[in-house]
Amino acid sequence: GQSLEQPSEVTAVEGAIVQINCTYQTSGFYGLSWYQQHDGGAPTFLSYNALDGLEETGRFSSFLSRSDSYGYLLLQELQMKDSASYFCAYQGGKLIFGQGTELSVKP
Amino acid sequence: DVKVTQSSRYLVKRTGEKVFLECVQDMDHENMFWYRQDPGLGLRLIYFSYDVKMKEKGDIPEGYSVSREKKERFSLILESASTNQTSMYLCASSSPGQGRGTEAFFGQGTRLTVV
């Protein structure tokens, strides 16, 4: 089966950089996605890594290492509006999510 | 604008009732998903459909069934609702393939309470 592990919560201050890690155990792996969900809202897509390396989208970057079954989401120049839950998701036909990391950004 | 629409935002049903949750997407996506979301447990996949009339079980299919008679519509059915099925239900759709094309789009969710 598939499983993904990520920390349950992370706290950081405005302007800082935070990294949310995700390790996975799966087979038939296509890639790793990241989603953001604000309280009361629907998850929204942030990024996708099919190949090893770093993908950058503005303040957000995502990294994948297939050999280590590991990825991370890097958020730079944190803003209060980044307070949300972040999910890594295994992409392989089905779309399987980790349990989510609740990020709290403090002033 | 891309849209996934779930038929109800809030629903209250009685134990033992048959419950239908409807989801419609307007993006001509092949893939559609049903998840339930509970605090601390993330999004758990109930069922997945990759084409009309095709379905695959997810991680927690017990007590649920699905129907996909048309490409744009994916229905989740609770055969006999129980209190442990009280949850937020999220529908999503995506197209198959690689890269950003695999982005899943979510509906706003249906908060179901079974009493």
Side-chain angles (χ1 to χ4, degrees):
Chain A
Q2 302 99 18
S3 69
L4 302 102
E5 296 287 332
Q6 51 182 128
S8 58
E9 54 185 41
V10 172
T11 302
V13 296
E14 263 189 306
I17 299 173
V18 73
Q19 179 173 312
I20 299 173
N21 298 321
C22 175
T23 57
Y24 60 88
Q25 292 183 338
T26 188
S27 57
F29 180 80
Y30 294 171
L32 195 70
S33 297
W34 289 91
Y35 287 77
Q36 178 192 59
Q37 185 181 31
H38 285 100
D39 258 353
T44 55
F45 177 88
L46 288 176
S47 67
Y48 174 70
N49 294 71
L51 304 174
D52 285 4
L54 195 68
E55 292 281 340
E56 297 182 69
T57 311
R59 294 187 296 114
F60 294 1
S61 304
S62 58
F63 173 82
L64 177 65
S65 168
R66 287 174 171 264
S67 58
D68 296 322
S69 297
Y70 164 75
Y72 65 73
L73 180 69
L74 191 74
L75 298 86
Q76 302 182 70
E77 301 171 20
L78 279 174
Q79 302 175 9
M80 297 295 290
K81 67 178 182 180
D82 297 329
S83 292
S85 292
Y86 293 84
F87 296 89
C88 58
Y90 149 86
Q91 194 87 45
K94 298 179 184 181
L95 183 60
I96 304 295
F97 284 79
Q99 292 182 329
T101 299
E102 189 173 345
L103 171 65
S104 298
V105 181
K106 307 292 186 188
Chain B
D1 224 11
V2 158
K3 213 158 211 181
V4 179
T5 304
Q6 294 183 230
S7 52
S8 305
R9 193 84 167 96
Y10 299 94
L11 214 50
V12 180
K13 295 292 181 180
R14 295 194 180 278
T15 302
E17 274 194 77
K18 191 167 186 176
V19 181
F20 293 85
L21 303 184
E22 307 285 347
C23 176
V24 177
Q25 50 99 0
D26 64 0
M27 294 161 285
D28 201 36
H29 282 163
E30 286 82 359
N31 298 336
M32 294 189 76
F33 310 84
W34 273 107
Y35 297 89
R36 65 176 283 177
Q37 185 170 26
D38 302 286
L41 298 178
L43 284 80
R44 293 182 290 166
L45 182 64
I46 305 171
Y47 267 98
F48 159 57
S49 169
Y50 53 91
D51 202 351
V52 176
K53 297 192 187 293
M54 307 304 288
K55 61 186 179 186
E56 278 191 28
K57 292 180 180 179
D59 295 330
I60 51 164
E62 298 77 19
Y64 303 95
S65 63
V66 289
S67 171
R68 192 154 180 216
E69 297 296 318
K70 293 185 177 181
K71 192 175 186 180
E72 67 271 18
R73 186 180 296 270
F74 192 35
S75 303
L76 180 69
I77 303 150
L78 286 67
E79 298 291 343
S80 176
S82 64
T83 54
N84 63 12
Q85 292 178 310
T86 291
S87 186
M88 171 67 84
Y89 290 87
L90 288 161
C91 173
S93 72
S94 74
S95 58
Q98 298 294 312
R100 178 128 193 170
T102 60
E103 174 182 354
F105 296 87
F106 282 82
Q108 283 302 306
T110 296
R111 185 163 293 283
L112 173 67
T113 303
V114 182
V115 297

